[in-house]
Amino acid sequence: MKPERWPYPLSSPWVWSIVRRFGLPFWFVLTSAAEWLAPGPRSPGFDTALAVGAARTWLAGGNPWSFFLVGTDGNVYHFAGLPPTLFVYAPLTFLSLDVAALVGVIISLAAALVVISRLHLPMWWFLFPPLNAGIFFGNPHMLLMALLLAGAAWLAPAVKVYAFIPMIGEARWRDMALGFAIFAGTVMAAPTLWSDWAASLAATNDRLLVEAQGGWSLTGPLAILGIIPLVVIALRKDARTAGWLGVPAVWPASEPFYSTMALPVMTPLLAIILAIPRHLGPPLAVAAYAAQLAWSYRGMPWPRPRAYLRAWFVPRSHRT
């Protein structure tokens, strides 16, 4: 029998209860204010307008990965999504980009409301900087989160391909198969689009890293430093948690709102660090959480490989 333990070391339950109830909302107000008072690189709904403009370029016979918009900081931002994303935004191409941007903010706000409702979070979580950044920019990521949590996970990879990562962690094999089927359908429906994507892939990735200033995650050779904590989490707790934290930790050229992927497995420690709008913040948060988890399990044996595989592939109702 495992000894009774509180999962947050060097503190007691009532301290963290106070942090959750009062400290986190106050911290979110401070970090959000610091973010909003600083000049931003993009305008409201910018990311939706970018996706809609790229879809319009595709439907007009052009290369959507050549489409770009100029941000409020004077920098150029190109579309970098996969072909299925263009199918998702094609229905909005009849709108002007300004109207599409407004629609994107509304959709992202509704998606964030679904996320908060599904996770039974207090409404003050709207102050969580990664969440309100995703709403402000009208980024497809917010729609992806709503789909993952609202019973339509199989549609989420069409919005952004990294939706497969938490699906792997939760062993949603049926949803993954349907997601791959959607990808296959877009290949059959628009093979030229996929060939254009493949031809533009190297240039698109290089450009994306520059425009995202390297991203908020650990990429390239340093990605292993982000993968190691995920392995510790997967072995010491469960693959589900590692799946939700994998995208903000190591997905290339990640953006601040990717940190909302941690919401289904959020802890006070993760929330405190992820609310700080700084590059490399997400992998540092995941590493701190892995260290905290390892500390709480000190002295306990590591799980046996057979038991670990059984936990992954045998339904809970069938375990003895």
Side-chain angles (χ1 to χ4, degrees), residues 24 28 101 120 130 136 155 162 165 171 173 210 245 249 268 272 279:
L24 282 181
F28 290 170
H120 306 289
F136 180 82
L155 282 172
Y162 57 69
I165 305 300
W173 311 124
V210 172
L245 297 179
I272 289 169
H279 286 267

PDB file of all heavy atoms in Angstrom, residues 24 28 101 120 130 136 155 162 165 171 173 210 245 249 268 272 279:
ATOM      1  N   LEU A  24      -3.826  32.344  -7.586  1.00  0.00           N
ATOM      2  CA  LEU A  24      -3.791  32.202  -9.038  1.00  0.00           C
ATOM      3  C   LEU A  24      -4.565  33.309  -9.763  1.00  0.00           C
ATOM      4  O   LEU A  24      -4.049  33.886 -10.737  1.00  0.00           O
ATOM      5  CB  LEU A  24      -4.317  30.825  -9.457  1.00  0.00           C
ATOM      6  CG  LEU A  24      -3.343  29.649  -9.297  1.00  0.00           C
ATOM      7  CD1 LEU A  24      -3.986  28.360  -9.783  1.00  0.00           C
ATOM      8  CD2 LEU A  24      -2.046  29.907 -10.049  1.00  0.00           C
ATOM      9  N   PHE A  28      -2.771  35.756 -12.377  1.00  0.00           N
ATOM     10  CA  PHE A  28      -3.212  35.870 -13.770  1.00  0.00           C
ATOM     11  C   PHE A  28      -3.490  37.328 -14.144  1.00  0.00           C
ATOM     12  O   PHE A  28      -3.207  37.755 -15.266  1.00  0.00           O
ATOM     13  CB  PHE A  28      -4.470  35.036 -14.005  1.00  0.00           C
ATOM     14  CG  PHE A  28      -4.249  33.548 -13.958  1.00  0.00           C
ATOM     15  CD1 PHE A  28      -5.322  32.675 -13.957  1.00  0.00           C
ATOM     16  CD2 PHE A  28      -2.970  33.010 -13.919  1.00  0.00           C
ATOM     17  CE1 PHE A  28      -5.134  31.299 -13.923  1.00  0.00           C
ATOM     18  CE2 PHE A  28      -2.762  31.632 -13.871  1.00  0.00           C
ATOM     19  CZ  PHE A  28      -3.854  30.787 -13.869  1.00  0.00           C
ATOM     20  N   ALA A 101     -11.508  38.235 -39.357  1.00  0.00           N
ATOM     21  CA  ALA A 101     -10.762  38.377 -38.100  1.00  0.00           C
ATOM     22  C   ALA A 101     -11.718  38.489 -36.918  1.00  0.00           C
ATOM     23  O   ALA A 101     -11.517  37.851 -35.875  1.00  0.00           O
ATOM     24  CB  ALA A 101      -9.856  39.596 -38.169  1.00  0.00           C
ATOM     25  N   HIS A 120     -14.738  22.280 -16.049  1.00  0.00           N
ATOM     26  CA  HIS A 120     -15.330  22.750 -14.791  1.00  0.00           C
ATOM     27  C   HIS A 120     -14.415  23.717 -14.067  1.00  0.00           C
ATOM     28  O   HIS A 120     -14.229  23.649 -12.844  1.00  0.00           O
ATOM     29  CB  HIS A 120     -15.676  21.558 -13.887  1.00  0.00           C
ATOM     30  CG  HIS A 120     -16.534  20.528 -14.540  1.00  0.00           C
ATOM     31  ND1 HIS A 120     -17.868  20.741 -14.832  1.00  0.00           N
ATOM     32  CD2 HIS A 120     -16.244  19.270 -14.996  1.00  0.00           C
ATOM     33  CE1 HIS A 120     -18.367  19.658 -15.417  1.00  0.00           C
ATOM     34  NE2 HIS A 120     -17.398  18.757 -15.547  1.00  0.00           N
ATOM     35  N   PRO A 130      -2.182  32.509 -21.623  1.00  0.00           N
ATOM     36  CA  PRO A 130      -2.240  31.740 -22.872  1.00  0.00           C
ATOM     37  C   PRO A 130      -3.652  31.619 -23.435  1.00  0.00           C
ATOM     38  O   PRO A 130      -3.830  31.598 -24.661  1.00  0.00           O
ATOM     39  CB  PRO A 130      -1.690  30.368 -22.462  1.00  0.00           C
ATOM     40  CG  PRO A 130      -0.798  30.659 -21.299  1.00  0.00           C
ATOM     41  CD  PRO A 130      -1.500  31.749 -20.561  1.00  0.00           C
ATOM     42  N   PHE A 136      -7.665  36.445 -28.355  1.00  0.00           N
ATOM     43  CA  PHE A 136      -7.356  37.732 -28.979  1.00  0.00           C
ATOM     44  C   PHE A 136      -6.902  37.566 -30.425  1.00  0.00           C
ATOM     45  O   PHE A 136      -7.353  38.280 -31.322  1.00  0.00           O
ATOM     46  CB  PHE A 136      -6.281  38.451 -28.171  1.00  0.00           C
ATOM     47  CG  PHE A 136      -5.887  39.786 -28.720  1.00  0.00           C
ATOM     48  CD1 PHE A 136      -6.645  40.917 -28.447  1.00  0.00           C
ATOM     49  CD2 PHE A 136      -4.756  39.923 -29.521  1.00  0.00           C
ATOM     50  CE1 PHE A 136      -6.289  42.158 -28.966  1.00  0.00           C
ATOM     51  CE2 PHE A 136      -4.393  41.160 -30.033  1.00  0.00           C
ATOM     52  CZ  PHE A 136      -5.162  42.273 -29.759  1.00  0.00           C
ATOM     53  N   LEU A 155     -11.942  15.430 -35.294  1.00  0.00           N
ATOM     54  CA  LEU A 155     -11.871  16.588 -36.182  1.00  0.00           C
ATOM     55  C   LEU A 155     -10.693  17.499 -35.862  1.00  0.00           C
ATOM     56  O   LEU A 155     -10.278  18.294 -36.711  1.00  0.00           O
ATOM     57  CB  LEU A 155     -13.166  17.404 -36.081  1.00  0.00           C
ATOM     58  CG  LEU A 155     -14.387  16.887 -36.832  1.00  0.00           C
ATOM     59  CD1 LEU A 155     -15.614  17.714 -36.455  1.00  0.00           C
ATOM     60  CD2 LEU A 155     -14.154  16.935 -38.336  1.00  0.00           C
ATOM     61  N   TYR A 162      -0.904  18.756 -34.498  1.00  0.00           N
ATOM     62  CA  TYR A 162      -0.383  18.311 -33.211  1.00  0.00           C
ATOM     63  C   TYR A 162      -1.479  17.852 -32.257  1.00  0.00           C
ATOM     64  O   TYR A 162      -1.196  17.381 -31.144  1.00  0.00           O
ATOM     65  CB  TYR A 162       0.486  19.382 -32.553  1.00  0.00           C
ATOM     66  CG  TYR A 162      -0.171  20.727 -32.326  1.00  0.00           C
ATOM     67  CD1 TYR A 162      -1.181  20.884 -31.387  1.00  0.00           C
ATOM     68  CD2 TYR A 162       0.244  21.852 -33.025  1.00  0.00           C
ATOM     69  CE1 TYR A 162      -1.772  22.116 -31.159  1.00  0.00           C
ATOM     70  CE2 TYR A 162      -0.331  23.094 -32.814  1.00  0.00           C
ATOM     71  CZ  TYR A 162      -1.337  23.226 -31.876  1.00  0.00           C
ATOM     72  OH  TYR A 162      -1.924  24.439 -31.652  1.00  0.00           O
ATOM     73  N   ILE A 165      -1.062  14.432 -30.615  1.00  0.00           N
ATOM     74  CA  ILE A 165      -0.189  14.149 -29.476  1.00  0.00           C
ATOM     75  C   ILE A 165      -0.981  13.811 -28.208  1.00  0.00           C
ATOM     76  O   ILE A 165      -0.770  12.747 -27.610  1.00  0.00           O
ATOM     77  CB  ILE A 165       0.790  15.310 -29.224  1.00  0.00           C
ATOM     78  CG1 ILE A 165       1.590  15.632 -30.491  1.00  0.00           C
ATOM     79  CG2 ILE A 165       1.719  14.985 -28.063  1.00  0.00           C
ATOM     80  CD1 ILE A 165       2.416  14.487 -31.016  1.00  0.00           C
ATOM     81  N   ALA A 171      -4.753   7.407 -25.567  1.00  0.00           N
ATOM     82  CA  ALA A 171      -5.052   6.157 -26.292  1.00  0.00           C
ATOM     83  C   ALA A 171      -6.388   6.231 -27.021  1.00  0.00           C
ATOM     84  O   ALA A 171      -7.167   5.278 -27.016  1.00  0.00           O
ATOM     85  CB  ALA A 171      -5.022   4.973 -25.328  1.00  0.00           C
ATOM     86  N   TRP A 173      -7.509   5.670 -29.979  1.00  0.00           N
ATOM     87  CA  TRP A 173      -7.119   5.087 -31.264  1.00  0.00           C
ATOM     88  C   TRP A 173      -8.206   5.275 -32.320  1.00  0.00           C
ATOM     89  O   TRP A 173      -7.904   5.506 -33.488  1.00  0.00           O
ATOM     90  CB  TRP A 173      -6.796   3.602 -31.082  1.00  0.00           C
ATOM     91  CG  TRP A 173      -5.863   3.341 -29.939  1.00  0.00           C
ATOM     92  CD1 TRP A 173      -6.077   2.514 -28.883  1.00  0.00           C
ATOM     93  CD2 TRP A 173      -4.557   3.921 -29.713  1.00  0.00           C
ATOM     94  NE1 TRP A 173      -5.018   2.535 -28.015  1.00  0.00           N
ATOM     95  CE2 TRP A 173      -4.064   3.387 -28.495  1.00  0.00           C
ATOM     96  CE3 TRP A 173      -3.775   4.834 -30.409  1.00  0.00           C
ATOM     97  CZ2 TRP A 173      -2.815   3.729 -27.982  1.00  0.00           C
ATOM     98  CZ3 TRP A 173      -2.531   5.182 -29.893  1.00  0.00           C
ATOM     99  CH2 TRP A 173      -2.065   4.633 -28.700  1.00  0.00           C
ATOM    100  N   VAL A 210      11.855  31.723 -37.847  1.00  0.00           N
ATOM    101  CA  VAL A 210      12.271  33.121 -37.780  1.00  0.00           C
ATOM    102  C   VAL A 210      11.112  33.994 -37.295  1.00  0.00           C
ATOM    103  O   VAL A 210      11.263  34.830 -36.399  1.00  0.00           O
ATOM    104  CB  VAL A 210      12.783  33.603 -39.151  1.00  0.00           C
ATOM    105  CG1 VAL A 210      13.041  35.112 -39.119  1.00  0.00           C
ATOM    106  CG2 VAL A 210      14.045  32.861 -39.540  1.00  0.00           C
ATOM    107  N   LEU A 245       1.048  17.651 -22.124  1.00  0.00           N
ATOM    108  CA  LEU A 245       2.151  18.584 -21.917  1.00  0.00           C
ATOM    109  C   LEU A 245       3.185  18.542 -23.044  1.00  0.00           C
ATOM    110  O   LEU A 245       4.043  19.421 -23.134  1.00  0.00           O
ATOM    111  CB  LEU A 245       2.857  18.286 -20.591  1.00  0.00           C
ATOM    112  CG  LEU A 245       2.018  18.450 -19.325  1.00  0.00           C
ATOM    113  CD1 LEU A 245       2.842  18.102 -18.093  1.00  0.00           C
ATOM    114  CD2 LEU A 245       1.457  19.860 -19.215  1.00  0.00           C
ATOM    115  N   ALA A 249       5.784  21.731 -24.650  1.00  0.00           N
ATOM    116  CA  ALA A 249       7.178  21.508 -24.270  1.00  0.00           C
ATOM    117  C   ALA A 249       8.103  21.405 -25.469  1.00  0.00           C
ATOM    118  O   ALA A 249       9.201  21.973 -25.459  1.00  0.00           O
ATOM    119  CB  ALA A 249       7.297  20.249 -23.414  1.00  0.00           C
ATOM    120  N   PRO A 268      -1.232  23.753  -9.715  1.00  0.00           N
ATOM    121  CA  PRO A 268      -0.838  25.119  -9.375  1.00  0.00           C
ATOM    122  C   PRO A 268       0.558  25.484  -9.865  1.00  0.00           C
ATOM    123  O   PRO A 268       0.774  26.587 -10.365  1.00  0.00           O
ATOM    124  CB  PRO A 268      -0.925  25.136  -7.851  1.00  0.00           C
ATOM    125  CG  PRO A 268      -1.965  24.120  -7.526  1.00  0.00           C
ATOM    126  CD  PRO A 268      -1.778  23.037  -8.542  1.00  0.00           C
ATOM    127  N   ILE A 272       1.284  28.578 -12.453  1.00  0.00           N
ATOM    128  CA  ILE A 272       2.101  29.736 -12.072  1.00  0.00           C
ATOM    129  C   ILE A 272       3.162  30.025 -13.134  1.00  0.00           C
ATOM    130  O   ILE A 272       3.361  31.165 -13.554  1.00  0.00           O
ATOM    131  CB  ILE A 272       2.751  29.500 -10.692  1.00  0.00           C
ATOM    132  CG1 ILE A 272       1.682  29.552  -9.603  1.00  0.00           C
ATOM    133  CG2 ILE A 272       3.834  30.545 -10.414  1.00  0.00           C
ATOM    134  CD1 ILE A 272       2.173  29.074  -8.250  1.00  0.00           C
ATOM    135  N   HIS A 279       9.558  33.197 -23.547  1.00  0.00           N
ATOM    136  CA  HIS A 279      10.036  32.079 -24.341  1.00  0.00           C
ATOM    137  C   HIS A 279      10.710  31.047 -23.434  1.00  0.00           C
ATOM    138  O   HIS A 279      11.347  31.402 -22.432  1.00  0.00           O
ATOM    139  CB  HIS A 279      11.031  32.557 -25.401  1.00  0.00           C
ATOM    140  CG  HIS A 279      10.373  33.268 -26.538  1.00  0.00           C
ATOM    141  ND1 HIS A 279       9.984  32.651 -27.696  1.00  0.00           N
ATOM    142  CD2 HIS A 279      10.004  34.569 -26.688  1.00  0.00           C
ATOM    143  CE1 HIS A 279       9.421  33.521 -28.515  1.00  0.00           C
ATOM    144  NE2 HIS A 279       9.422  34.698 -27.926  1.00  0.00           N
TER     145      HIS A 279
END
